[in-house]
């Protein structure tokens, strides 16, 4: 039991040290010329569809806000590798968020009226801190597709 507590404390300490080196905070505007187009039927009929992001980072919590249509959506992720649940109007999001170097990888499931859908997103900050790249893996009837969205710091 003592060993398990010790290992858990070490993991949290390592996560805190990893987070200390990179800061995703800022307002991020879509760079459509460097991004993949949105799939037809997903906010753009094949033409972009990315929303401005506002990211706040406090310790190992990353809060991402975006406006989708007239709705503001804000999600907070605890970047400690443990499973968490975030509740919103869209449904429960069960996720794990892990920071590694200058990237945060978020995996899990998003509950919706049409059933659970997998979530697999990686946010990567450029070395100079001026570019944020979001890679999303989406599962569809024809298999999985990966979409890259690039954002520039405002």
């Amino acid at each position: 039991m003592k060993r398990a507590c010790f290992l858990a404390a070490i993991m949290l300490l390592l996560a805190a040290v990893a987070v200390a080196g990179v800061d995703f905070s800022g307002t991020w505007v879509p760079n459509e010329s460097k991004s993949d187009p949105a799939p037809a039927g997903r906010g753009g009929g094949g033409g972009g569809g990315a929303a401005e992001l506002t990211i706040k980072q406090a310790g190992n919590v990353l809060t991402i806000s975006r406006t989708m249509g007239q709705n503001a959506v804000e999600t907070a992720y605890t970047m400690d590798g443990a499973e968490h649940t975030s509740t919103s109007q869209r449904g429960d999001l069960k996720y794990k968020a892990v920071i590694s170097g200058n990237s945060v990888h978020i995996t899990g499931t998003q509950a919706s009226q049409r059933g659970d859908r997998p979530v697999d997103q990686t946010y990567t900050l450029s070395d100079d801190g001026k570019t944020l790249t979001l890679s999303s893996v989406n599962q569809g009837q024809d298999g999985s597709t990966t979409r890259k969205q690039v954002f520039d710091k405002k």
Side-chain angles (χ1 to χ4, degrees):
M1 181 67 177
K2 287 182 181 180
R3 183 176 182 181
C5 289
F6 177 74
L7 289 175
I10 293 294
M11 296 275 291
L12 287 174
L13 179 62
L14 289 174
V17 168
V19 170
V22 66
D23 188 359
F24 290 85
S25 297
T27 300
W28 300 91
V29 294
N31 184 327
E32 299 294 342
S33 67
K34 293 183 179 178
S35 299
D36 296 337
R42 285 200 180 168
E52 183 175 285
L53 303 177
T54 301
I55 300 178
K56 297 175 187 169
Q57 184 173 342
N60 70 340
V61 177
L62 193 70
T63 303
I64 302 173
S65 304
R66 71 182 82 203
T67 301
M68 302 172 89
Q70 295 183 3
N71 299 320
V73 177
E74 181 175 282
T75 307
Y77 301 97
T78 303
M79 303 179 291
D80 62 2
E83 186 170 295
H84 298 275
T85 300
S86 176
T87 301
S88 72
Q89 293 174 326
R90 294 174 20 188
D92 286 348
L93 169 64
K94 292 183 181 178
Y95 73 91
K96 291 181 182 180
V98 177
I99 190 163
S100 177
N102 62 340
S103 295
V104 174
H105 188 204
I106 301 166
T107 57
T109 56
Q110 174 73 56
S112 73
Q113 293 175 346
R114 293 185 273 170
D116 290 350
R117 69 172 183 85
V119 173
D120 187 345
Q121 300 178 327
T122 303
Y123 292 84
T124 304
L125 189 62
S126 64
D127 289 338
D128 65 5
K130 295 179 181 177
T131 304
L132 179 70
T133 303
L134 168 59
S135 296
S136 302
V137 179
N138 296 302
Q139 299 294 328
Q141 294 174 344
D142 299 328
S144 66
T145 57
T146 300
R147 178 175 182 219
K148 176 183 79 171
Q149 294 175 274
V150 178
F151 299 85
D152 297 322
K153 196 162 197 174
K154 195 172 186 179

